[in-house]
Amino acid sequence: MVDTMALLRAFIRTARMARNTSRLAAGLPADDEVLLDAPDERLGPALVAAARGEYGPAAKLLTTTREAAEWENRDRYAMRLATFARSRDAWLREWQAAAPHDPDALLVKAELAVRRGWESPARAELLREVGPLITAAAEGDPRDPVPWRIALDHARGTNVGHSEFEQLWGEAVRRSPHHYGCHVAALQYLSAAWYGSHRECFDFAETAAQDALPGSLVQALPVRAAFAYLTEGGGAKVPRERLDAAADLAVALSATYTESDPWPAEVRNLLMYVLVRLERWTDALEQLRLIGPYATSFPWDRVSDDPLGQFLELRDGIRLEVASGLPLRSPGPDPHPGSGHDGRARSGDH
C-alpha cells in the first residue's frame, strides 16, 4: 500500500521548491554573467597587453606594487601573470631579454618555473633546479616577501624538513608578518596531506587568525584548514564545533567586504564550499549573494575539471535546498532567509 504521508511530504517539498527557487534567484547574476577568475581593473589591462605580446603594462603594475609595498596585491598579480604565461609566455621572454635583472620580471619567472615544476612527474628534481631563480628574485628587492612565499611553495615540493622550512618562514614573516600568501603556503605544508596533521593545521590557522589585522584575509585560514580536512580525509577526527567556528569566522570576515568585491572572491568561494559540506544552506546562499559574478577556480578545480560548471551547479543546488525548507506561503515580504546558524546541519553531519 502506498504511504500516503510519504507522498504528501514529497509533494509539499516539490511544491516548495517550485514556488521558492525562482524567488531565491533574486539578486543573483544569470549564469552567463558569472565570470571565472575575472581580473580586477588594474590587472585586466596588463593581461590584455600580454595577450598582444606587450610586457610594459605588467612591468609597470608590478613595479608600482613593489615601490608602494603592496605585497598582497603584488603576490596576487604575480601569480595571475605567471598563470597566463604558462600558455603564452612570449611577452615574459621578451621582458627578461630586455631587463634580465628586473626584480619584477625575476619574480614572475620564478613563480612560473615553480608552477611548471609542480606539474611535472619529475617534480622534486625540477623544483630543485629552479632554486637559483627564487634566490635571484629574493635578491631583486630584499624587502619583498613574495619570493619567500614562492620559496615556501618550493620547499613543500622538494621535501624540505621542518627546521629548514621554519627558517624560510622566518624570512617571510620578518618582511611581512601578516602576509596572506605566506600563511597559506605554511598552512599547506602543515596539512595532513603533506608534512603535518589536521591538528597542526588547525592550531596554526587559528593562532594566525587571532593575531591577524582587522579585515585581513589571514582570518580565513581556519576555513582553509576546514577545507583541507573535508577534502583530504584521514587522520584524527576534527570536532564539528571546530569546523563551524572556522566557518563562522570566515562569514564574519566576508561581511566586512562589499558585495561583488573581487578581492575576497576566492575566500568567499572557499567558504561557500565548506558551508555546503556542513549543510549550512542559508549561510551558503548568503555567500552566493556576496560573491555575485566572481567565481574562482579554487576550490572548484579541486573537485571538478569544469570549475565554473561546478560552481553554477552547486549554486542551483543551494537554492533548491533552501527552497525546500521554506513554507509554501512566505510570512513576510522578504521570501529568502537571512544568514544564520539555522542552516546548519546537526552536530556530526559532514
Side-chain angles (χ1 to χ4, degrees):
M1 182 176 180
V2 176
D3 186 337
T4 304
M5 290 304 298
L7 285 176
L8 180 59
R9 285 194 295 268
F11 172 78
I12 292 174
R13 178 180 173 86
T14 302
R16 285 170 175 167
M17 290 165 61
R19 179 180 180 86
N20 293 317
T21 301
S22 61
R23 292 189 295 169
L24 290 171
L28 297 179
D31 284 3
D32 59 2
E33 295 175 341
V34 177
L35 307 171
L36 185 68
D37 299 327
D40 65 20
E41 69 281 357
R42 299 174 70 185
L43 178 62
L47 291 175
V48 170
R52 296 195 300 260
E54 302 169 6
Y55 66 83
K60 182 178 180 180
L61 175 62
L62 289 183
T63 297
T64 298
T65 60
R66 177 166 49 84
E67 292 178 345
E70 297 178 22
W71 306 129
E72 300 287 9
N73 281 325
R74 180 173 176 79
D75 196 9
R76 185 173 295 199
Y77 294 152
M79 287 193 289
R80 291 295 304 274
L81 289 167
T83 297
F84 185 84
R86 285 163 69 183
S87 57
R88 305 177 68 175
D89 66 352
W91 61 277
L92 180 57
R93 287 186 279 107
E94 184 178 344
W95 184 8
Q96 293 166 355
H101 303 295
D102 185 330
D104 306 313
L106 290 171
L107 182 69
V108 179
K109 183 178 180 179
E111 174 70 19
L112 176 60
V114 169
R115 289 186 177 221
R116 285 176 170 167
W118 268 98
E119 296 167 356
S120 170
R123 181 177 65 203
E125 180 180 348
L126 287 181
L127 284 176
R128 279 191 288 269
E129 293 176 358
V130 305
L133 296 180
I134 302 174
T135 300
E139 292 173 347
D141 188 333
R143 303 174 305 147
D144 188 357
V146 182
W148 295 96
R149 190 272 303 160
I150 299 174
L152 293 171
D153 286 336
H154 175 263
R156 180 164 51 92
T158 52
N159 305 315
V160 163
H162 277 66
S163 60
E164 186 175 345
F165 190 89
E166 289 174 3
Q167 292 176 4
L168 296 173
W169 169 249
E171 294 288 348
V173 296
R174 182 167 64 83
R175 289 163 172 80
S176 183
H178 305 287
H179 188 267
Y180 177 62
C182 291
H183 279 78
V184 170
L187 189 75
Q188 290 174 316
Y189 182 90
L190 292 171
S191 70
W194 289 96
Y195 307 108
S197 64
H198 295 312
R199 180 186 59 78
E200 289 177 282
C201 194
F202 268 92
D203 287 350
F204 172 80
E206 290 165 355
T207 299
Q210 290 171 3
D211 295 338
L213 299 174
S216 169
L217 296 184
V218 172
Q219 294 179 39
L221 285 182
V223 87
R224 289 192 75 109
F227 172 80
Y229 171 71
L230 292 169
T231 55
E232 293 165 6
K237 181 178 176 63
V238 174
R240 171 62 191 246
E241 292 74 16
R242 201 170 193 181
L243 299 174
D244 275 321
D248 290 343
L249 184 59
V251 166
L253 173 65
S254 177
T256 66
Y257 289 90
T258 59
E259 183 177 342
S260 298
D261 184 343
W263 177 256
E266 185 179 273
V267 164
R268 282 171 168 165
N269 277 252
L270 175 66
L271 171 58
M272 190 183 95
Y273 175 91
V274 171
L275 291 169
V276 166
R277 290 292 304 271
L278 297 178
E279 299 185 22
R280 291 174 54 172
W281 304 112
T282 57
D283 284 335
L285 180 61
E286 177 61 19
Q287 290 310 307
L288 273 177
R289 299 189 188 286
L290 293 173
I291 288 167
Y294 294 109
T296 58
S297 290
F298 179 78
W300 314 115
D301 59 1
R302 301 299 192 272
V303 295
S304 172
D305 292 332
D306 178 13
L308 180 57
Q310 180 70 70
F311 174 86
L312 294 174
E313 182 178 330
L314 276 178
R315 193 171 75 149
D316 290 340
I318 290 168
R319 288 166 50 205
L320 288 171
E321 288 289 344
V322 174
S324 68
L326 291 179
L328 284 173
R329 292 189 178 184
S330 176
D334 184 3
H336 53 76
S339 175
H341 291 210
D342 56 320
R344 288 184 180 177
R346 295 183 302 275
S347 178
D349 292 344
H350 57 266

